Amino acid sequence: MSTNVLPTYDDVVSRYEPVIGLETHVELGTVTKMFCGCPTDFGAEPNTQVCPVCLGLPGSLPVANRAAIEATIRIGLALNCSIATWCRFARKNYFYPDMPKNYQISQYDEPLCVDGYLDVEVDGELVRIGIERVHLEEDTGKTLHVGGATGRIHGATESLVDYNRAGIPLVEIVTKPVPGLGARAPEIAKAYVAELRDVIRTLGVSDVRMEQGSMRCDVNTSLNLPGAEWGTRTETKNVNSLRSVERSVRTEMLRQAMVLDGGGTITQETRHFHEDTGDTTSGRSKETATDYRYFPEPDLVPLAPEPVWVEQLKAALPELPRQHRARLKTEWNLSDLDMQSILNAGAVELIERTVAAGASPEAARKWWLGELSRRANADGVELEAVGATPEQVAKLQVLVASGKLTDKLARQVLEGVLAGEGDPEQIMAARGLEVVSDTGALTAAIDEAIAANPEVAEKIRGGNQAAAGVLIGAVMKTTKGQADAKTVRELVLARLAS
Ligand code: ADP
Ligand code: MG
Ligand code: ZN
């Protein structure tokens, strides 16, 4: 059978089993680079944060950064790894213009941390993702292709290289292959990366910003028939958002199924993920380890972390996200389901910060899971990129709680916040959105409503309080919805009390 028709996802997972594996690179937030004293600030003028060591000039010698080693060990400990008592750096040899030494100092068969796991909660169920290794290496520089339309090398007139990033400490976290996830493979891949990001952020060793590239993911995917051996994997490179992690697994599963259905074979290769279309396209065919001619780095002494030191680092680990979430669930008095929906929305930290800024847990949850989630979905962005900060949301809620805004007005103010018009109070002033609490103005509006609806007023006087709705509606109309309905109701009833 020969076909190039993309099968449906349900069809694919009914006939094939996926295996995934994730390689995640995290740029550490150390003050200086991995093997020299150059600063690591993001966004500096190109080639201003360089020295003979990170430029690979002859005669220069590297010295390992203790803070980077400590950070890597802490990541390894948080991921339940064993920490090597003795290991070495290795030279990974390849030529690429963004790598001035023509080799990268990395770790090969003697990584600093091995054989751990990370438990990831998906829909209330724990999935254990095995960690193969956590090792330390140095980042490469950045190449900029200019003169073309796309910023890619094709069509460019020249390429520029910025070595500021070259030599920044980079930790690589490699999972074991994860079989058995079936249809949930894309979702669990995303949940793993999200959890890993939270762990690393909690450790405070990196700002783990996927959009800025301080956390980058390579996503390995293969398919096999039930009962057969694992298939050949492809490695989708530099997937730069959580959403893309999920999409890239899914896309590859569909594409590989189509190839296999057509009687083809999967080539082991790197592929590039395209944010705009969600497609992957073929990159280079994958090098094998021998292509890199790895050998122990002769310019560095072996690394032998003192077990006592490692024990101290272990004892000093902070509360990790899963424990932290369990504590919040209790503190916020939430059901499993409530907590689950917060997790699914990726809103834990946002709600926590909103509460810290003065909102009640209940109100914070309502805003982030309601209005703001809807907006993020509609715009196709992550919740934290929706355009409102926890501080602004808290402010909004404080204004509601103090009676200055009704829920309805607060939603209009939020519109303004999301449109970038400033903080809630500025928007209230600019758009004239404040609850009409001036009793004089309200009384006038109420008298007007009574005069226009004498028979309704009569019913209320006669004890039929339910009829007040008509008058409240009329008052709300006169005040353009800027009165608090509860206050209006009280005033109407007081006015018509016999
Ligand atoms: P490389 O540097 O060649 O990419 P690594 O060992 O660093 O190799 O990473 C390979 C990744 O691919 C690991 O996360 C591993 O678990 C995963 N992997 C290995 N075999 C398969 C497979 N058959 N299907 C999916 N993923 C796989
Ligand atoms: Mg790799
Ligand atoms: Zn340097």
Side-chain angles (χ1 to χ4, degrees):
M1 183 176 70
S2 173
T3 166
N4 53 7
V5 179
L6 214 53
T8 67
Y9 188 71
D10 287 346
D11 177 29
V12 171
V13 295
S14 72
R15 293 184 292 120
Y16 293 101
E17 291 174 348
V19 178
I20 57 170
L22 290 125
E23 299 163 75
T24 310
H25 283 98
V26 173
E27 235 178 42
L28 294 178
T30 49
V31 180
T32 57
K33 291 187 180 179
M34 186 60 227
F35 299 113
C36 62
C38 288
T40 56
D41 306 322
F42 183 79
E45 259 309 277
N47 299 310
T48 55
Q49 301 181 345
V50 291
C51 75
V53 175
C54 56
L55 287 177
L57 301 188
S60 63
L61 285 172
V63 178
N65 182 335
R66 182 186 167 101
I69 293 165
E70 178 175 314
T72 308
I73 293 176
R74 292 178 68 230
I75 293 173
L77 290 169
L79 298 177
N80 306 290
C81 290
S82 314
I83 310 302
T85 49
W86 193 92
C87 67
R88 282 181 298 189
F89 286 100
R91 265 190 202 185
K92 181 177 182 181
N93 298 278
Y94 64 100
F95 171 80
Y96 203 75
D98 64 13
M99 205 175 51
K101 295 199 292 284
N102 281 343
Y103 60 84
Q104 178 189 31
I105 304 181
S106 181
Q107 294 196 284
Y108 179 49
D109 50 353
E110 302 167 46
L112 194 46
C113 323
V114 293
D115 199 20
Y117 61 87
L118 179 61
D119 285 332
V120 180
E121 214 170 311
V122 187
D123 295 330
E125 188 196 326
L126 277 192
V127 180
R128 181 161 290 189
I129 306 291
I131 304 291
E132 177 77 39
R133 55 194 275 143
V134 177
H135 77 238
L136 188 51
E137 57 188 36
E138 55 178 337
D139 209 346
T140 58
K142 258 190 203 160
T143 317
L144 195 68
H145 305 294
V146 295
T150 59
R152 294 177 180 279
I153 196 163
H154 303 283
T157 52
E158 56 221 302
S159 297
L160 305 168
V161 196
D162 174 9
Y163 290 118
N164 283 350
R165 200 180 66 179
I168 290 187
L170 200 61
V171 169
E172 181 170 353
I173 302 139
V174 183
T175 70
K176 296 179 180 173
V178 195
L181 302 179
R184 297 194 305 160
E187 181 197 353
I188 291 170
K190 174 182 173 179
Y192 161 78
V193 178
E195 184 72 11
L196 182 62
R197 182 193 62 178
D198 291 352
V199 166
I200 291 171
R201 194 184 281 147
T202 303
L203 294 173
V205 294
S206 167
D207 60 5
V208 277
R209 305 265 296 260
M210 291 189 87
E211 72 288 355
Q212 276 191 3
S214 56
M215 182 173 193
R216 315 194 282 267
C217 239
D218 300 341
V219 180
N220 295 270
T221 312
S222 68
L223 287 184
N224 60 265
L225 291 169
E229 284 186 17
W230 293 346
T232 304
R233 70 184 161 104
T234 59
E235 181 182 353
T236 307
K237 280 281 188 196
N238 291 326
V239 179
N240 290 329
S241 70
L242 291 178
R243 182 165 170 262
S244 299
V245 171
E246 182 167 8
R247 285 171 85 205
S248 63
V249 174
R250 205 184 158 91
T251 303
E252 261 312 277
M253 284 169 65
L254 291 170
R255 189 193 65 84
Q256 291 184 13
M258 183 178 78
V259 172
L260 295 171
D261 285 348
T265 50
I266 305 299
T267 358
Q268 183 166 341
E269 61 181 0
T270 62
R271 298 185 65 84
H272 298 291
F273 183 71
H274 302 285
E275 289 280 342
D276 42 355
T277 56
D279 284 348
T280 66
T281 52
S282 174
R284 57 187 158 85
S285 69
K286 185 76 188 158
E287 287 83 357
T288 58
T290 40
D291 294 328
Y292 288 125
R293 292 184 298 114
Y294 279 104
F295 57 83
E297 170 57 54
D299 287 343
L300 285 164
V301 292
L303 216 55
E306 289 276 351
V308 180
W309 181 47
V310 174
E311 277 312 310
Q312 283 166 358
L313 293 177
K314 187 170 185 177
L317 284 181
E319 180 187 48
L320 294 174
R322 216 159 57 76
Q323 286 84 47
H324 183 65
R325 287 193 300 262
R327 183 163 61 74
L328 289 180
K329 181 173 165 260
T330 313
E331 281 177 16
W332 294 348
N333 197 18
L334 298 176
S335 67
D336 283 345
L337 208 67
D338 288 341
M339 193 64 198
Q340 200 49 54
S341 50
I342 292 177
L343 289 175
N344 291 347
V348 177
E349 202 196 323
L350 292 165
I351 293 176
E352 207 181 354
R353 285 171 52 197
T354 308
V355 172
S360 68
E362 217 177 286
R365 184 161 63 96
K366 188 196 73 183
W367 283 112
W368 286 106
L369 295 196
E371 213 61 18
L372 289 161
S373 284
R374 267 196 293 284
R375 180 62 177 257
N377 270 339
D379 293 355
V381 296
E382 308 278 342
L383 201 49
E384 60 253 47
V386 74
T389 65
E391 291 69 28
Q392 289 169 324
V393 176
K395 185 83 228 186
L396 201 62
Q397 186 53 35
V398 168
L399 290 164
V400 173
S402 69
K404 291 213 170 71
L405 287 176
T406 59
D407 274 342
K408 181 158 169 261
L409 289 176
R411 279 197 293 276
Q412 290 178 40
V413 174
L414 185 63
E415 278 297 312
V417 171
L418 293 174
E421 290 170 25
D423 282 331
E425 275 161 332
Q426 282 171 288
I427 293 163
M428 281 169 70
R431 291 195 179 191
L433 296 171
E434 184 161 357
V435 169
V436 180
S437 51
D438 169 3
T439 334
L442 281 183
T443 309
I446 289 168
D447 287 345
E448 200 182 300
I450 292 174
N453 302 282
E455 67 294 352
V456 176
E458 213 35 59
K459 277 189 199 158
I460 301 170
R461 280 206 188 87
N464 180 0
Q465 297 203 341
V470 177
L471 299 184
I472 297 167
V475 173
M476 294 308 274
K477 205 166 164 196
T478 327
T479 57
K480 298 200 185 73
Q482 286 180 224
D484 175 38
K486 210 168 131 239
T487 312
V488 174
R489 181 182 164 82
E490 279 161 16
L491 289 173
V492 167
L493 294 179
R495 196 115 187 111
L496 296 175
S498 39

